[in-house]
Amino acid sequence: LVTRVLGQGEDIRVIDLDIARRNFQAFQRYFDFADVHVAVKAVSEPHIFGMLVDAGAKFEIATLGEMTMCQEQGVSADRLLCSHPAKDRFEIERFVQAEVKLFVSDNLMDLRLMAKCAPGARVLIRIQAHRSEAHHATLLDQAGFDSRFGIAVEDAQTLIAEAVNLGLKPVGLALHVGVQQHEPQAWSYAIAMAAKVFSGVAASGGNMEILDLGGGFPAAFHPGIPRLEVYAQTIRQALHGAFGSALPKIVLEPGRSIGAMAGITIGRVVNIKPGPHDPDIRVLTLFTGRFSACLFGIGMGVSFLRPDARNTELNRVTGDFELKAHLYGKVLSEADQPTMASGQANAVTVPDTLEVDDLVVFTGTGAYTGELFTHMCSKSVPHTIVFDQF
């Protein structure tokens, strides 16, 4: 790998399929009471996606392209859930032709279009079911989950009634508690809100049978994130507390938590210079960047390594870690800054002994990032190398 990066000037992305496989198996083990539909958008790296297909995974899709990916891998329609609440007629018609059976919606216009293009379709109504005070532990605002998707809980029954009047079959609810959600209790609140809607529908003579708890399960970007079994235990307790023994069918949509930590991206330091506005903050140019390697991942870590004279051994770059630097890729744009743990391209601490051709390693790049590669400024994208110990 060092030879590829230094000898040929390539960025490298390394994918360890065994990590992604173990993460998927953990969901199957701890959430044995749920139907796990992996979010294709987060695991569309071809090797990770192929591994999940072979493992018999079910999938959540949002676009025709994602459906096509599944079809090309032989995934049957009964393993698919279409969860995007805003669909056009071409998408709906194609989904119906492919025999996708379950959809998500959160507005009357989408329901009317579904009634026209997919009469009698089974639909989940997406609600907003998160607490505003939970924002400190999430990136809800950045991801848009708090405002763009979902109908207010108090309006859900009205929309469900509209769906029935349109000839659709509202069979349950869907929700999302926020990206990279560090608080397992966020699902407890959401489940309690959903249970109120279930009770209201039942009191009106309706029947709801599915509760889709969405994604938001975090990747293990740092040791402070609770273990997956804690999420499972918390959710199981909340479900029994809200629904008793008559649980609805539970659906989950994990993505980042399966694929993120299966990938690292390796680039190299190209240039270091004092910043234009504050000489105490360096401008650090990397061969790899936000655009070319699509380092947009929430929570990615960064470290610096130095090869020995023969390029056979790597050691961490030592020195005082008091130097602040803004990291940039090769693209001639202020925007070409890798996104760090806070979700913002802020200055990071780097060793004061950093040199040209030292390697920069970004962890947690197995989900989303590779699928958003760009060739801006004709910069090559990282070459992917895959390991699989299975």
Side-chain angles (χ1 to χ4, degrees):
L1 295 178
V2 175
T3 301
R4 294 288 292 268
V5 175
L6 294 179
Q8 301 180 33
E10 285 189 276
D11 297 331
I12 300 292
R13 187 170 63 145
V14 182
I15 297 293
D16 187 334
L17 286 183
D18 196 47
I19 293 176
R21 183 181 292 109
R22 291 199 305 268
N23 290 340
F24 173 63
Q25 291 170 344
F27 270 94
Q28 293 179 307
R29 180 166 65 255
Y30 295 120
F31 289 95
D32 56 353
F33 56 89
D35 223 5
V36 179
H37 284 254
V38 183
V40 172
K41 65 182 71 66
V43 297
S44 56
E45 194 287 321
H47 301 89
I48 294 178
F49 180 66
M51 177 276 294
L52 291 168
V53 171
D54 291 342
K58 296 180 179 180
F59 295 98
E60 175 270 324
I61 59 174
T63 67
L64 290 178
E66 291 177 352
M67 183 183 72
T68 299
M69 281 182 58
C70 293
Q71 290 176 321
E72 290 176 346
Q73 292 289 327
V75 178
S76 57
D78 62 337
R79 292 164 64 182
L80 302 180
L81 157 66
C82 176
S83 72
H84 203 297
K87 302 169 285 296
D88 68 22
R89 65 182 180 87
F90 300 104
E91 292 177 311
I92 298 172
E93 289 169 355
R94 287 280 305 279
F95 288 139
V96 170
Q97 290 172 5
E99 298 184 343
V100 175
K101 302 295 186 183
L102 188 59
F103 300 87
V104 173
S105 185
D106 68 357
N107 65 91
L108 185 56
M109 181 175 288
D110 186 66
L111 289 175
R112 285 172 175 166
L113 198 57
M114 289 193 62
K116 179 180 179 180
C117 301
R122 288 159 51 89
V123 61
L124 306 177
I125 300 300
R126 179 161 171 170
I127 60 172
Q128 293 183 353
H130 59 267
R131 294 179 295 182
S132 59
E133 61 266 30
H135 285 196
H136 73 279
T138 70
L139 291 172
L140 280 167
D141 288 324
Q142 177 181 324
F145 285 108
D146 60 332
S147 58
R148 182 181 177 190
F149 298 123
I151 189 169
V153 171
E154 58 269 24
D155 297 326
Q157 281 187 246
T158 300
L159 192 62
I160 290 168
E162 292 281 7
V164 172
N165 292 336
L166 288 167
L168 298 171
K169 298 175 182 176
V171 294
L173 300 178
L175 55 88
H176 199 296
V177 299
V179 174
Q180 191 66 14
Q181 177 57 262
H182 297 181
E183 302 285 348
Q185 290 296 332
W187 277 272
S188 299
Y189 177 84
I191 288 167
M193 294 298 99
K196 291 182 179 180
V197 179
F198 270 69
S199 296
V201 171
S204 301
N207 180 41
M208 306 281 274
E209 59 188 67
I210 300 173
L211 177 56
D212 182 348
L213 297 176
F217 298 95
F221 289 135
H222 60 76
I225 294 175
R227 300 184 309 276
L228 187 62
E229 52 265 42
V230 175
Y231 287 86
Q233 181 180 20
T234 301
I235 289 172
R236 188 191 297 268
Q237 290 175 346
L239 286 169
H240 285 287
F243 291 96
S245 59
L247 295 184
K249 178 181 179 181
I250 303 302
V251 175
L252 305 179
E253 301 176 15
R256 187 191 314 272
S257 53
I258 291 175
M261 299 311 294
I264 63 173
T265 299
I266 307 171
R268 57 190 172 87
V269 175
V270 172
N271 184 269
I272 309 169
K273 67 177 184 180
H277 307 298
D278 185 347
D280 292 330
I281 299 181
R282 300 294 194 268
V283 172
L284 178 55
T285 300
L286 310 173
F287 193 69
T288 189
R290 184 176 190 175
F291 291 139
S292 63
C294 201
L295 299 173
F296 289 87
I298 298 167
M300 293 182 306
V302 60
S303 59
F304 296 93
L305 303 176
R306 180 170 296 158
D308 62 10
R310 294 180 295 175
N311 287 345
T312 58
E313 185 176 334
L314 287 174
N315 297 290
R316 286 190 177 274
V317 178
T318 58
D320 292 331
F321 280 78
E322 297 181 354
L323 191 66
K324 294 288 187 179
H326 287 294
L327 308 185
Y328 290 89
K330 287 282 287 181
V331 173
L332 299 176
S333 168
E334 288 283 331
D336 192 16
Q337 290 186 265
T339 302
M340 295 297 131
S342 65
Q344 304 297 323
N346 295 324
V348 299
T349 302
V350 300
D352 60 354
T353 57
L354 204 61
E355 300 176 353
V356 170
D357 277 346
D358 283 342
L359 301 187
V360 56
V361 180
F362 292 94
T363 59
T365 66
Y368 292 104
T369 51
E371 292 59 68
L372 295 170
F373 287 156
T374 75
H375 290 272
M376 189 171 180
C377 291
S378 296
K379 168 71 177 65
S380 60
V381 302
H383 179 79
T384 298
I385 296 175
V386 179
F387 293 102
D388 189 0
Q389 302 300 318
F390 182 69

